[in-house]
Amino acid sequence: MFMFSQLVAQGQFTVVKQPLGFIKVLQWIFAIFAFSTCGSYSGMFKMSVECKNRSESDLGIEVEFEYPFRLHQVYFDAPTCKGGNPERLFLVGDYSSSAEFFVTIGVFSFLYSMAALSVYCFILEKYRENNKGAQIDFVVTAIFAFMWLVSSCAWAKGLSDVKTNTDPEKVITLISACEEPDNRCREIYDPKVSGLNTSVAFGFINLILWVGNLWFVFKETGWLASFAGTYAPSQEKQPAPDSFGQGGYGQQDPYAGSQGGYQPDYSQQGGYNEDGGYNQGYEQQPTSYSNQM
């Protein structure tokens, strides 16, 4: 209990008010709604078969079915209106794969959202360290978004087939006694599938939440800053600082000639005279006062 209270005291619950944490709370809640409305469903419909011989009639045939909707295992007994024992009939279809897949994605989404919220609240610094946690979170979020798309579409198609094969008007066609014009077969009670319709709606709401959460997790990865940096001009010349304006790059090199380097002055006239001395081309000055005398 002390450790729990210490963790609560150290938690950063303000992240729940931010889009990153707030959407995770919504994902956690709607994941519960999605798998609970589908996984806890049980339905029933009712029919009546009125034979020409009233003593053989059955006016209250109840057929119950539930998750995971293996309808081919659901059976009921109907009178033959010909005497003898009633016939046992089975519904058509097995839609457990799409229903169980949908519920599984909902359960794992619930668990991951709860784990991610714990990370955001208690170890947010490690989550943002080197962006590794955010990058893993982005990949997992993208996978769940794709899984919600697939599972919701699959369960929507499966639910449509479930409603078709549990329609009493269609199930009546399976009863051989209803083929006789002297017998009267009718439906009494239709199954209520509003909860299953709600589960499909929650599935697509979860899809929207997980796709929308991709942007907020993507901003935590640091990839956005990397992509933005590639557009900066890398070869643009920057202006020189003011400190170099006077004696730096702004002045011409006094030692540089017109060709960019030191050029000797060949305009001076000089050479060797007849005495073998070197004439420098300019008038020599006396080196001392004694030479002038």
Side-chain angles (χ1 to χ4, degrees), residues 64-114:
E64 297 181 354
F65 62 98
E66 59 185 5
Y67 173 85
F69 308 104
R70 294 187 177 93
L71 300 183
H72 66 288
Q73 297 179 356
V74 178
Y75 62 88
F76 62 96
D77 296 328
T80 60
C81 297
K82 296 179 180 179
N85 297 326
E87 61 177 345
R88 175 159 292 184
L89 301 172
F90 290 82
L91 299 182
V92 179
D94 182 7
Y95 308 101
S96 59
S97 58
S98 59
E100 290 176 342
F101 180 48
F102 181 81
V103 171
T104 301
I105 296 301
V107 172
F108 278 103
S109 297
F110 161 77
L111 295 175
Y112 180 76
S113 299
M114 185 169 56

Side-chain angles (χ1 to χ4, degrees), residues 16-37:
V16 178
K17 299 180 181 179
Q18 302 174 4
L20 181 66
F22 182 71
I23 294 182
K24 273 291 184 289
V25 174
L26 293 180
Q27 291 173 349
W28 181 69
I29 295 174
F30 281 95
I32 297 175
F33 290 160
F35 72 76
S36 62
T37 51

Side-chain angles (χ1 to χ4, degrees), residues 142-210:
I143 293 174
F144 271 108
F146 176 75
M147 289 301 176
W148 273 116
L149 173 63
V150 176
S151 63
S152 298
C153 292
W155 173 229
K157 177 61 171 62
L159 176 58
S160 177
D161 295 336
V162 168
K163 290 190 290 186
T164 299
N165 292 310
T166 55
D167 186 0
E169 292 184 356
K170 183 176 181 180
V171 177
I172 286 175
T173 61
L174 302 176
I175 303 175
S176 59
C178 297
E179 298 176 359
E180 300 293 334
D182 296 333
N183 301 325
R184 182 183 178 186
C185 301
R186 61 187 179 91
E187 63 178 78
I188 298 176
Y189 184 81
D190 290 328
K192 294 182 178 179
V193 293
S194 58
L196 296 180
N197 294 331
T198 305
S199 68
V200 174
F202 282 135
F204 285 104
I205 291 175
N206 277 283
L207 170 62
I208 295 173
L209 289 174
W210 285 87

Side-chain angles (χ1 to χ4, degrees), residues 209-220:
L209 289 174
W210 285 87
V211 171
N213 194 32
L214 283 174
W215 168 248
F216 298 103
V217 179
F218 178 74
K219 292 195 298 184
E220 298 288 335

Side-chain angles (χ1 to χ4, degrees), residues 29-67:
I29 295 174
F30 281 95
I32 297 175
F33 290 160
F35 72 76
S36 62
T37 51
C38 179
S40 62
Y41 177 82
S42 62
M44 184 268 293
F45 60 92
K46 193 172 183 180
M47 305 172 295
S48 67
V49 177
E50 186 176 353
C51 302
K52 183 178 180 180
N53 185 4
R54 297 297 180 87
S55 61
E56 297 180 356
S57 301
D58 190 347
L59 303 181
I61 303 175
E62 295 184 355
V63 182
E64 297 181 354
F65 62 98
E66 59 185 5
Y67 173 85

